[in-house]
Amino acid sequence: MAVFGKTAVQLVQEVANMDGEGLPSFKEDVVKKVLDEVDEHHKALLNILSTVQDAGLEWNQMEANDANALMVHHESLLRNKRLLLGYVNARMNRIKKTRWHKGRALQPELKERMAPTEQQFFREYDKLLMEYQDPRTGVGIDLTLDMTPPKDHKIEVRVMARTGFPVILMMAQRLAVAMFG
Amino acid sequence: MADYWNIHDMLAEEEKVTAYFNVGSTGLGRAFDPSCDDEDLKEGAKLEIPLWLTKDLASRGMIKVERPSYYGPRVKNDLQADPRCVNLGEKSPYFYDVGLRLLEVSHDPKLAELLNLTFQRRYQQLLIAALSVQADTKDITRLQRVLSAEEKKLFDDGRLSRSSFESWRETTDVCSVAPQTTGMKRSQPNVSQRVVAPRLS
């Protein structure tokens, strides 16, 4: 019998303890076990429902014991769903980050630890980003190159015409920031 | 309040609380309690169940939730004597989160007050330790041991903020003010707006 989400908690604990970099290998066996538990809860739930229906009762006439068990199974299903989604989501965010910081090539040791679906996600995420950065279809800049803003707040400009009046004051600075910043 | 995607919220809800079952539960006797000799859970059973399971059951009156001992009078006395000495990390890493979730069920003003006071008193000390430059490393490790998970996050963020401030202050590359702007009164934003672009004549 299921253990009320205990198995799935292992997965979440693992991603909660992840350090700054790296990715623990995808625990396919544990995920599968959780899915089996979900199946078990689902079957138990249907079982209770069918006994109620067989007895010819309306929903609000259900035995309190049955209703309680129904709730417990239902809550367990939702809990397992949330934990699994949390696990996959945390890993997905980590994989996205890898694309931004480590570039297009997937390191082999990282690839080993990813599930096939995660590898596919990486490829498709990469495709999207490349499309966005492409000069024909997008902005035309490699956005991953400069992840931090420049230290120096001043920029160099070339004066194109003599205007005869040195009003290079706050306004000009603001203009420059607006144009190039 | 709880964020569906937050990993720490998920773990906080895994904390066990004691529940009294006002109604039985069909077919779940062994699942809840392996030593149970019946398939069904009996009415009136007292069990430790995870927090996430309690909310909807309690709101339907199926169970009655009892607070974990770390919100009880003994810990309260300790907290009132010296909030800094109580090891929350050991009692419950999610002392505040669990407390807030229990409040959703019980609406007990005393519990709310306990959480509030505890946080107020401990936060002050936490902040001083996190932000002070000369903090003793021994003190810091001692403090980190007694913090709850939520406090630890605040503490780490505080340390990070302090070290970022230090490194900003120590930067040698001081921004020089361009000579043209030295005469400007920066405090008057209108000045720059009044500057009219010179006419090209």
Side-chain angles (χ1 to χ4, degrees), chain A residues 9-168:
Chain A
V9 165
Q10 293 168 13
L11 295 172
V12 171
Q13 246 148 12
E14 187 185 273
V15 289
N17 294 333
M18 268 194 310
D19 52 356
E21 299 229 339
L23 191 75
S25 44
F26 188 76
K27 300 277 182 304
E28 203 178 338
D29 45 338
V30 184
V31 171
K32 220 177 147 278
K33 217 170 135 197
V34 177
L35 291 176
D36 286 346
E37 282 177 19
V38 169
D39 250 4
E40 223 175 299
H41 281 302
H42 183 224
K43 275 185 197 137
L45 219 146
L46 291 181
N47 222 342
I48 297 169
L49 285 180
S50 67
T51 44
V52 172
Q53 268 173 338
D54 288 349
L57 294 172
E58 292 294 319
W59 299 122
N60 48 10
Q61 297 169 333
M62 203 191 280
E63 287 274 335
N65 288 10
D66 290 340
N68 180 279
L70 205 66
M71 292 279 305
V72 171
H73 285 302
H74 181 64
E75 289 291 314
S76 304
L77 276 175
L78 293 180
R79 171 74 175 169
N80 273 317
K81 175 185 166 190
R82 184 179 174 203
L83 292 175
L84 277 181
L85 283 174
Y87 177 65
V88 176
N89 186 51
R91 288 179 64 90
M92 185 186 74
N93 287 339
R94 185 51 67 94
I95 292 168
K96 276 191 200 165
K97 212 167 139 192
T98 324
R99 172 62 187 85
W100 282 87
H101 292 280
K102 298 272 163 69
R104 299 195 66 188
L106 200 52
Q107 297 132 301
E109 68 268 19
L110 197 66
K111 197 172 171 180
E112 260 172 37
R113 300 204 202 102
M114 281 157 65
T117 44
E118 287 177 326
Q119 290 172 21
Q120 191 193 346
F121 172 80
F122 182 87
R123 280 193 301 273
E124 277 170 30
Y125 187 71
D126 173 61
K127 212 175 112 198
L128 274 179
L129 193 60
M130 290 312 281
E131 233 171 70
Y132 185 68
Q133 291 176 353
D134 193 288
R136 278 160 300 155
T137 50
V139 292
I141 306 170
D142 187 349
L143 295 168
T144 62
L145 280 183
D146 256 333
M147 299 288 282
T148 47
K151 285 235 166 62
D152 202 347
H153 69 288
K154 281 176 268 181
I155 54 162
E156 209 169 21
V157 293
R158 177 187 298 226
V159 179
M160 302 297 282
R162 176 177 286 271
T163 55
F165 201 84
V167 199
I168 308 182

Side-chain angles (χ1 to χ4, degrees), chain A residues 1-6 9 12-13 15-16 41 48 63-79 81-87 89-90 151-154 162-163 165-171 173-174, chain B residues 2-11 13-14 16 21 23-28 30-32 40-41 43 50 52-53 56-57 60 62-63 101 171 173 175-178 180-181 184 186 189 192-193 195-200:
Chain A
M1 189 59 212
V3 280
F4 305 117
K6 277 255 178 58
V9 165
V12 171
Q13 246 148 12
V15 289
H41 281 302
I48 297 169
E63 287 274 335
N65 288 10
D66 290 340
N68 180 279
L70 205 66
M71 292 279 305
V72 171
H73 285 302
H74 181 64
E75 289 291 314
S76 304
L77 276 175
L78 293 180
R79 171 74 175 169
K81 175 185 166 190
R82 184 179 174 203
L83 292 175
L84 277 181
L85 283 174
Y87 177 65
N89 186 51
K151 285 235 166 62
D152 202 347
H153 69 288
K154 281 176 268 181
R162 176 177 286 271
T163 55
F165 201 84
V167 199
I168 308 182
L169 298 175
M170 304 281 272
M171 188 106 135
Q173 265 184 8
R174 281 191 198 169
Chain B
D3 174 6
Y4 187 83
W5 294 101
N6 190 311
I7 295 287
H8 292 285
D9 278 358
M10 294 180 203
L11 292 178
E13 287 186 20
E14 192 61 23
K16 292 276 195 302
F21 278 69
V23 295
S25 199
T26 312
L28 284 170
R30 295 238 172 78
F32 274 123
D40 298 346
L41 189 73
E43 187 184 323
W52 54 265
L53 192 53
D56 283 2
L57 294 181
R60 284 169 174 75
M62 288 170 170
I63 58 169
R101 296 251 188 336
T171 37
D173 181 27
C175 303
S176 59
V177 179
Q180 293 97 322
T181 60
M184 294 286 296
R186 279 165 180 268
S192 61
Q193 280 164 15
V195 174
V196 190
R199 283 205 195 112
L200 295 171

Side-chain angles (χ1 to χ4, degrees), chain B residues 2 44 108 129:
Chain B
D108 179 2

Side-chain angles (χ1 to χ4, degrees), chain B residues 38-98:
Chain B
D38 196 358
E39 280 294 311
D40 298 346
L41 189 73
K42 291 272 186 306
E43 187 184 323
K46 179 189 169 192
L47 288 173
E48 298 259 298
I49 60 172
L51 196 57
W52 54 265
L53 192 53
T54 59
K55 200 182 166 199
D56 283 2
L57 294 181
S59 70
R60 284 169 174 75
M62 288 170 170
I63 58 169
K64 191 174 165 294
V65 178
E66 190 180 78
R67 259 184 247 157
S69 62
Y70 45 81
Y71 300 110
R74 239 190 72 205
V75 179
K76 194 180 174 186
N77 283 343
D78 287 353
L79 282 171
Q80 272 165 349
D82 190 353
R84 294 166 299 177
C85 290
V86 181
N87 190 339
L88 285 188
E90 188 187 84
K91 287 188 171 41
S92 159
Y94 296 102
F95 184 82
Y96 301 105
D97 275 349
V98 173

